[in-house]
Amino acid sequence: MPELVFFSGTMDCGKSTLALQIGHNRSARGLQGVIFTRDDRAGEGKLSSRLGLVTEAVEVSESMDVYGYLVDQLSTGGRVDYVIVDEAQFLALEQIDQLARVVDDLGLDVFAFGITTDFRTKLFPGSQRLIELADRIEALQVEALCWCGARATHNARTLGGEMVVEGAQVVVGDVNHPVEDTGYEVLCRRHHLRRMTAASARAGALSPDVLPVTQA
């Protein structure tokens, strides 16, 4: 039976890498799929992983009818055996409903990948809808790590290395960013609550008020 499967996790836990692997495995068996993405770090119409792998994808705009796009492909002689959606947290609620319809009406497996909560620990609307509709929810098994070495469970937005908790829900950035730019970092709950990023922890450790150094 076809399924809508939601693969979720924090940033930096291998979601895009798994999406690429699923596509590779199926194409190696002669299957043809459609890959959708939105706001990928590599640019429009790209699905990329932090390991350096990149493939072409269909960019989902705010007004795009995902179900209608696939129906057009099939009705004009195109072949679609499965669907992959990366950055699914950015999709609109109606687009998530369309993915469920792709499974039910077109009989295609849909593999959606996304992070569950934003930098404020609030659910992305797209992820919430996927949790409500998915046939199966899979937590990624590759654990991202906080700077302290503990399991990272929260996504943080940073500006100049300092954690911020206000602003628009979606601002495209990356975990590999210059410290003066807007970026993202994964933290354990304890350090997310304390707003302690790797940069601020390093600065605190170097402060003579925190760690006095005496010479023999």
Side-chain angles (χ1 to χ4, degrees):
M1 291 290 291
E3 289 185 306
L4 171 57
V5 186
F6 180 34
F7 295 90
S8 66
T10 63
M11 296 178 298
D12 218 17
C13 72
K15 297 181 301 302
S16 298
T17 301
L18 180 57
L20 288 164
Q21 184 68 54
I22 287 177
H24 171 76
N25 289 352
R26 279 160 176 71
S27 64
R29 295 294 179 266
L31 301 177
Q32 296 181 24
V34 172
I35 299 176
F36 293 105
T37 190
R38 174 119 184 237
D39 293 336
D40 188 272
R41 68 182 73 84
E44 185 173 326
K46 303 289 183 182
L47 167 55
S48 67
S49 81
R50 293 190 175 92
L51 298 182
L53 304 173
V54 184
T55 192
E56 298 296 320
V58 178
E59 185 77 13
V60 179
S61 66
E62 291 184 6
S63 60
M64 181 178 183
D65 183 339
V66 178
Y67 177 83
Y69 178 92
L70 292 169
V71 169
D72 287 344
Q73 294 292 305
L74 293 168
S75 62
T76 55
R79 178 179 171 185
V80 182
D81 297 310
Y82 62 92
V83 176
I84 291 174
V85 185
D86 197 31
E87 307 293 359
Q89 73 274 5
F90 296 147
L91 268 60
L93 297 179
E94 57 268 24
Q95 291 169 331
I96 302 299
D97 289 348
Q98 291 161 12
L99 293 179
R101 190 180 177 193
V102 168
V103 176
D104 297 338
D105 293 358
L106 302 183
L108 301 177
D109 282 316
V110 175
F111 306 101
F113 298 80
I115 59 178
T116 309
T117 57
D118 64 15
F119 69 104
R120 301 165 299 185
T121 71
K122 304 297 183 182
L123 283 169
F124 281 100
S127 296
Q128 179 176 337
R129 192 63 177 147
L130 276 166
I131 292 170
E132 294 166 349
L133 293 181
D135 298 294
R136 185 157 48 94
I137 300 171
E138 299 283 349
L140 272 294
Q141 297 303 307
V142 178
E143 293 185 352
L145 298 179
C146 177
W147 60 264
C148 69
R151 178 172 176 263
T153 54
H154 291 65
N155 305 304
R157 180 181 294 170
T158 60
L159 182 61
E162 297 295 325
M163 181 174 157
V164 295
V165 294
E166 296 181 353
Q169 186 175 53
V170 179
V171 175
V172 179
D174 198 359
V175 295
N176 301 314
H177 62 89
V179 65
E180 67 272 13
D181 294 342
T182 297
Y184 291 90
E185 183 176 344
V186 287
L187 300 171
C188 64
R189 183 180 61 239
R190 179 164 64 103
H191 287 128
H192 192 280
L193 290 173
R194 294 180 179 181
R195 303 186 187 181
M196 187 177 292
T197 65
S200 62
R202 190 179 306 114
L206 294 175
S207 169
D209 292 331
V210 177
L211 185 62
V213 178
T214 59
Q215 295 182 352

